[in-house]
Amino acid sequence: MTTLSVAQAEKDFAGTLRRVTTGHETVILQRGHKAVAVMMPPDMVEALEDAADIREADKAMMEHEKDPSKAVPWEQVKREAGLA
C-alpha cells in the first residue's frame, strides 16, 4: 500500500494509475495529513464487496435462527416483487 499526496498523484496520474493496474497496488491519496480517497484494482473492490455481502447474509441468518417467526414466505416475496 502506498500513500501519495493528491498533488503527487495528479502530477504523475498515468504513473499512479499504472501502480494500481499493473502493480496491483492500493494507493491512498492524502490532502494534508488526511486520507481523502483510495485507488485500488477492481478485483480488490469486488472482494471487499463480496466480504460485506457475506457478513450481511451471516447476520441475517443469525437473526433468523434467533426468531424464525419473522421469516417472510417465498410466495409473499415474489408477489411483492411483482414476480408472481
Side-chain angles (χ1 to χ4, degrees), residues 23-43:
H24 210 72
E25 249 184 274
T26 298
V27 177
I28 298 173
L29 303 176
Q30 284 188 330
R31 185 171 285 138
H33 293 289
K34 183 178 180 183
V36 294
V38 176
M39 294 173 69
M40 65 175 52
D43 60 335

Side-chain angles (χ1 to χ4, degrees), residues 3-71:
T3 301
L4 297 174
S5 70
V6 170
Q8 289 171 310
E10 181 180 26
K11 185 176 180 179
D12 184 22
F13 185 75
T16 302
L17 190 58
R18 195 169 25 262
R19 291 173 93 152
V20 174
T21 57
T22 60
H24 210 72
E25 249 184 274
T26 298
V27 177
I28 298 173
L29 303 176
Q30 284 188 330
R31 185 171 285 138
H33 293 289
K34 183 178 180 183
V36 294
V38 176
M39 294 173 69
M40 65 175 52
D43 60 335
M44 292 177 75
V45 175
E46 290 171 14
L48 289 171
E49 290 174 347
D50 290 347
D53 290 344
I54 290 168
R55 284 191 304 274
E56 192 175 318
D58 286 346
K59 181 180 174 187
M61 185 58 83
M62 287 174 54
E63 289 176 15
H64 172 72
E65 288 173 354
K66 284 181 187 175
D67 187 0
S69 69
K70 293 182 181 179

